[in-house]
PDB file of all heavy atoms in Angstrom:
ATOM      1  N   TYR Y 114       1.425  22.142   9.518  1.00 98.00           N
ATOM      2  CA  TYR Y 114       0.879  23.194  10.362  1.00 98.00           C
ATOM      3  C   TYR Y 114       1.882  23.514  11.457  1.00 98.00           C
ATOM      4  O   TYR Y 114       2.886  22.832  11.610  1.00 98.00           O
ATOM      5  CB  TYR Y 114      -0.456  22.743  10.969  1.00 98.00           C
ATOM      6  CG  TYR Y 114      -1.500  22.405   9.934  1.00 98.00           C
ATOM      7  CD1 TYR Y 114      -1.602  21.113   9.419  1.00 98.00           C
ATOM      8  CD2 TYR Y 114      -2.375  23.378   9.452  1.00 98.00           C
ATOM      9  CE1 TYR Y 114      -2.553  20.802   8.461  1.00 98.00           C
ATOM     10  CE2 TYR Y 114      -3.333  23.068   8.495  1.00 98.00           C
ATOM     11  CZ  TYR Y 114      -3.407  21.782   8.003  1.00 98.00           C
ATOM     12  OH  TYR Y 114      -4.341  21.486   7.049  1.00 98.00           O
ATOM     13  N   GLU Y 115       1.569  24.537  12.225  1.00 96.00           N
ATOM     14  CA  GLU Y 115       2.524  24.954  13.252  1.00 96.00           C
ATOM     15  C   GLU Y 115       2.734  23.857  14.287  1.00 96.00           C
ATOM     16  O   GLU Y 115       3.844  23.639  14.768  1.00 96.00           O
ATOM     17  CB  GLU Y 115       2.033  26.233  13.940  1.00 96.00           C
ATOM     18  CG  GLU Y 115       2.995  26.759  14.984  1.00 96.00           C
ATOM     19  CD  GLU Y 115       2.501  28.051  15.605  1.00 96.00           C
ATOM     20  OE1 GLU Y 115       1.469  28.591  15.133  1.00 96.00           O
ATOM     21  OE2 GLU Y 115       3.137  28.529  16.564  1.00 96.00           O
ATOM     22  N   ASP Y 116       1.687  23.177  14.686  1.00 97.00           N
ATOM     23  CA  ASP Y 116       1.796  22.225  15.784  1.00 97.00           C
ATOM     24  C   ASP Y 116       1.666  20.768  15.345  1.00 97.00           C
ATOM     25  O   ASP Y 116       1.711  19.858  16.174  1.00 97.00           O
ATOM     26  CB  ASP Y 116       0.727  22.524  16.834  1.00 97.00           C
ATOM     27  CG  ASP Y 116      -0.687  22.404  16.268  1.00 97.00           C
ATOM     28  OD1 ASP Y 116      -0.839  22.362  15.024  1.00 97.00           O
ATOM     29  OD2 ASP Y 116      -1.637  22.348  17.066  1.00 97.00           O
ATOM     30  N   ARG Y 117       1.515  20.529  14.071  1.00 98.00           N
ATOM     31  CA  ARG Y 117       1.317  19.152  13.619  1.00 98.00           C
ATOM     32  C   ARG Y 117       1.573  19.029  12.128  1.00 98.00           C
ATOM     33  O   ARG Y 117       1.604  20.025  11.388  1.00 98.00           O
ATOM     34  CB  ARG Y 117      -0.114  18.690  13.920  1.00 98.00           C
ATOM     35  CG  ARG Y 117      -1.177  19.391  13.098  1.00 98.00           C
ATOM     36  CD  ARG Y 117      -2.562  19.196  13.693  1.00 98.00           C
ATOM     37  NE  ARG Y 117      -3.586  19.747  12.823  1.00 98.00           N
ATOM     38  CZ  ARG Y 117      -3.894  21.039  12.705  1.00 98.00           C
ATOM     39  NH1 ARG Y 117      -3.219  21.941  13.410  1.00 98.00           N
ATOM     40  NH2 ARG Y 117      -4.859  21.438  11.899  1.00 98.00           N
ATOM     41  N   VAL Y 118       1.770  17.806  11.714  1.00 98.00           N
ATOM     42  CA  VAL Y 118       1.843  17.477  10.297  1.00 98.00           C
ATOM     43  C   VAL Y 118       0.751  16.452  10.043  1.00 98.00           C
ATOM     44  O   VAL Y 118       0.606  15.498  10.824  1.00 98.00           O
ATOM     45  CB  VAL Y 118       3.221  16.901   9.913  1.00 98.00           C
ATOM     46  CG1 VAL Y 118       3.228  16.435   8.461  1.00 98.00           C
ATOM     47  CG2 VAL Y 118       4.305  17.953  10.139  1.00 98.00           C
ATOM     48  N   VAL Y 119       0.001  16.633   8.992  1.00 98.00           N
ATOM     49  CA  VAL Y 119      -1.038  15.682   8.634  1.00 98.00           C
ATOM     50  C   VAL Y 119      -0.615  14.982   7.348  1.00 98.00           C
ATOM     51  O   VAL Y 119      -0.383  15.638   6.326  1.00 98.00           O
ATOM     52  CB  VAL Y 119      -2.399  16.378   8.443  1.00 98.00           C
ATOM     53  CG1 VAL Y 119      -3.451  15.341   8.033  1.00 98.00           C
ATOM     54  CG2 VAL Y 119      -2.816  17.083   9.725  1.00 98.00           C
ATOM     55  N   ILE Y 120      -0.503  13.679   7.425  1.00 98.00           N
ATOM     56  CA  ILE Y 120      -0.133  12.866   6.265  1.00 98.00           C
ATOM     57  C   ILE Y 120      -1.341  12.006   5.906  1.00 98.00           C
ATOM     58  O   ILE Y 120      -1.800  11.199   6.730  1.00 98.00           O
ATOM     59  CB  ILE Y 120       1.080  11.963   6.577  1.00 98.00           C
ATOM     60  CG1 ILE Y 120       2.263  12.819   7.026  1.00 98.00           C
ATOM     61  CG2 ILE Y 120       1.453  11.136   5.350  1.00 98.00           C
ATOM     62  CD1 ILE Y 120       3.459  12.005   7.481  1.00 98.00           C
ATOM     63  N   SER Y 121      -1.853  12.215   4.731  1.00 98.00           N
ATOM     64  CA  SER Y 121      -3.007  11.439   4.265  1.00 98.00           C
ATOM     65  C   SER Y 121      -2.545  10.462   3.201  1.00 98.00           C
ATOM     66  O   SER Y 121      -1.813  10.833   2.274  1.00 98.00           O
ATOM     67  CB  SER Y 121      -4.073  12.370   3.678  1.00 98.00           C
ATOM     68  OG  SER Y 121      -4.495  13.318   4.634  1.00 98.00           O
ATOM     69  N   TYR Y 122      -2.955   9.235   3.354  1.00 98.00           N
ATOM     70  CA  TYR Y 122      -2.623   8.186   2.393  1.00 98.00           C
ATOM     71  C   TYR Y 122      -3.904   7.816   1.654  1.00 98.00           C
ATOM     72  O   TYR Y 122      -4.915   7.489   2.265  1.00 98.00           O
ATOM     73  CB  TYR Y 122      -2.094   6.944   3.111  1.00 98.00           C
ATOM     74  CG  TYR Y 122      -0.886   7.167   4.001  1.00 98.00           C
ATOM     75  CD1 TYR Y 122      -1.033   7.612   5.316  1.00 98.00           C
ATOM     76  CD2 TYR Y 122       0.405   6.930   3.536  1.00 98.00           C
ATOM     77  CE1 TYR Y 122       0.069   7.812   6.135  1.00 98.00           C
ATOM     78  CE2 TYR Y 122       1.519   7.121   4.354  1.00 98.00           C
ATOM     79  CZ  TYR Y 122       1.340   7.562   5.648  1.00 98.00           C
ATOM     80  OH  TYR Y 122       2.438   7.764   6.457  1.00 98.00           O
ATOM     81  N   GLU Y 123      -3.849   7.842   0.333  1.00 98.00           N
ATOM     82  CA  GLU Y 123      -5.042   7.444  -0.424  1.00 98.00           C
ATOM     83  C   GLU Y 123      -5.459   6.021  -0.077  1.00 98.00           C
ATOM     84  O   GLU Y 123      -6.643   5.735   0.053  1.00 98.00           O
ATOM     85  CB  GLU Y 123      -4.766   7.522  -1.929  1.00 98.00           C
ATOM     86  CG  GLU Y 123      -4.939   8.915  -2.509  1.00 98.00           C
ATOM     87  CD  GLU Y 123      -4.756   8.942  -4.020  1.00 98.00           C
ATOM     88  OE1 GLU Y 123      -4.127   8.006  -4.567  1.00 98.00           O
ATOM     89  OE2 GLU Y 123      -5.224   9.892  -4.646  1.00 98.00           O
ATOM     90  N   MET Y 124      -4.472   5.153   0.073  1.00 97.00           N
ATOM     91  CA  MET Y 124      -4.783   3.760   0.382  1.00 97.00           C
ATOM     92  C   MET Y 124      -5.577   3.690   1.678  1.00 97.00           C
ATOM     93  O   MET Y 124      -5.135   4.183   2.722  1.00 97.00           O
ATOM     94  CB  MET Y 124      -3.502   2.943   0.519  1.00 97.00           C
ATOM     95  CG  MET Y 124      -3.760   1.463   0.696  1.00 97.00           C
ATOM     96  SD  MET Y 124      -2.304   0.492   1.132  1.00 97.00           S
ATOM     97  CE  MET Y 124      -2.158   0.876   2.868  1.00 97.00           C
ATOM     98  N   PHE Y 125      -6.764   3.112   1.586  1.00 98.00           N
ATOM     99  CA  PHE Y 125      -7.660   2.924   2.729  1.00 98.00           C
ATOM    100  C   PHE Y 125      -8.103   4.261   3.345  1.00 98.00           C
ATOM    101  O   PHE Y 125      -8.637   4.270   4.455  1.00 98.00           O
ATOM    102  CB  PHE Y 125      -7.020   2.060   3.813  1.00 98.00           C
ATOM    103  CG  PHE Y 125      -6.493   0.722   3.340  1.00 98.00           C
ATOM    104  CD1 PHE Y 125      -5.562   0.027   4.086  1.00 98.00           C
ATOM    105  CD2 PHE Y 125      -6.918   0.163   2.148  1.00 98.00           C
ATOM    106  CE1 PHE Y 125      -5.068  -1.207   3.662  1.00 98.00           C
ATOM    107  CE2 PHE Y 125      -6.425  -1.064   1.700  1.00 98.00           C
ATOM    108  CZ  PHE Y 125      -5.492  -1.743   2.473  1.00 98.00           C
ATOM    109  N   ASP Y 126      -7.877   5.368   2.646  1.00 98.00           N
ATOM    110  CA  ASP Y 126      -8.300   6.687   3.152  1.00 98.00           C
ATOM    111  C   ASP Y 126      -7.780   6.943   4.565  1.00 98.00           C
ATOM    112  O   ASP Y 126      -8.529   7.296   5.479  1.00 98.00           O
ATOM    113  CB  ASP Y 126      -9.832   6.805   3.137  1.00 98.00           C
ATOM    114  CG  ASP Y 126     -10.387   6.738   1.723  1.00 98.00           C
ATOM    115  OD1 ASP Y 126      -9.880   7.462   0.859  1.00 98.00           O
ATOM    116  OD2 ASP Y 126     -11.322   5.942   1.491  1.00 98.00           O
ATOM    117  N   LEU Y 127      -6.475   6.772   4.725  1.00 98.00           N
ATOM    118  CA  LEU Y 127      -5.876   6.925   6.045  1.00 98.00           C
ATOM    119  C   LEU Y 127      -5.452   8.375   6.269  1.00 98.00           C
ATOM    120  O   LEU Y 127      -4.911   9.021   5.381  1.00 98.00           O
ATOM    121  CB  LEU Y 127      -4.643   6.020   6.171  1.00 98.00           C
ATOM    122  CG  LEU Y 127      -4.887   4.521   5.945  1.00 98.00           C
ATOM    123  CD1 LEU Y 127      -3.565   3.765   5.949  1.00 98.00           C
ATOM    124  CD2 LEU Y 127      -5.819   3.968   7.017  1.00 98.00           C
ATOM    125  N   VAL Y 128      -5.681   8.864   7.470  1.00 98.00           N
ATOM    126  CA  VAL Y 128      -5.250  10.211   7.848  1.00 98.00           C
ATOM    127  C   VAL Y 128      -4.425  10.091   9.122  1.00 98.00           C
ATOM    128  O   VAL Y 128      -4.921   9.644  10.161  1.00 98.00           O
ATOM    129  CB  VAL Y 128      -6.451  11.145   8.091  1.00 98.00           C
ATOM    130  CG1 VAL Y 128      -5.956  12.529   8.487  1.00 98.00           C
ATOM    131  CG2 VAL Y 128      -7.325  11.217   6.853  1.00 98.00           C
ATOM    132  N   ARG Y 129      -3.200  10.508   9.016  1.00 98.00           N
ATOM    133  CA  ARG Y 129      -2.248  10.361  10.124  1.00 98.00           C
ATOM    134  C   ARG Y 129      -1.860  11.746  10.631  1.00 98.00           C
ATOM    135  O   ARG Y 129      -1.345  12.565   9.866  1.00 98.00           O
ATOM    136  CB  ARG Y 129      -1.026   9.608   9.603  1.00 98.00           C
ATOM    137  CG  ARG Y 129       0.062   9.322  10.611  1.00 98.00           C
ATOM    138  CD  ARG Y 129       1.228   8.634   9.914  1.00 98.00           C
ATOM    139  NE  ARG Y 129       2.331   8.361  10.820  1.00 98.00           N
ATOM    140  CZ  ARG Y 129       3.574   8.149  10.416  1.00 98.00           C
ATOM    141  NH1 ARG Y 129       3.880   8.174   9.129  1.00 98.00           N
ATOM    142  NH2 ARG Y 129       4.513   7.900  11.308  1.00 98.00           N
TER     143      ARG Y 129
END
Side-chain angles (χ1 to χ4, degrees):
Chain Y
Y114 300 89
E115 182 178 354
D116 61 346
R117 68 196 186 282
V118 174
V119 179
I120 303 174
S121 302
Y122 303 84
E123 277 184 339
M124 186 190 78
F125 307 161
D126 296 311
L127 302 174
V128 180
R129 182 183 178 201

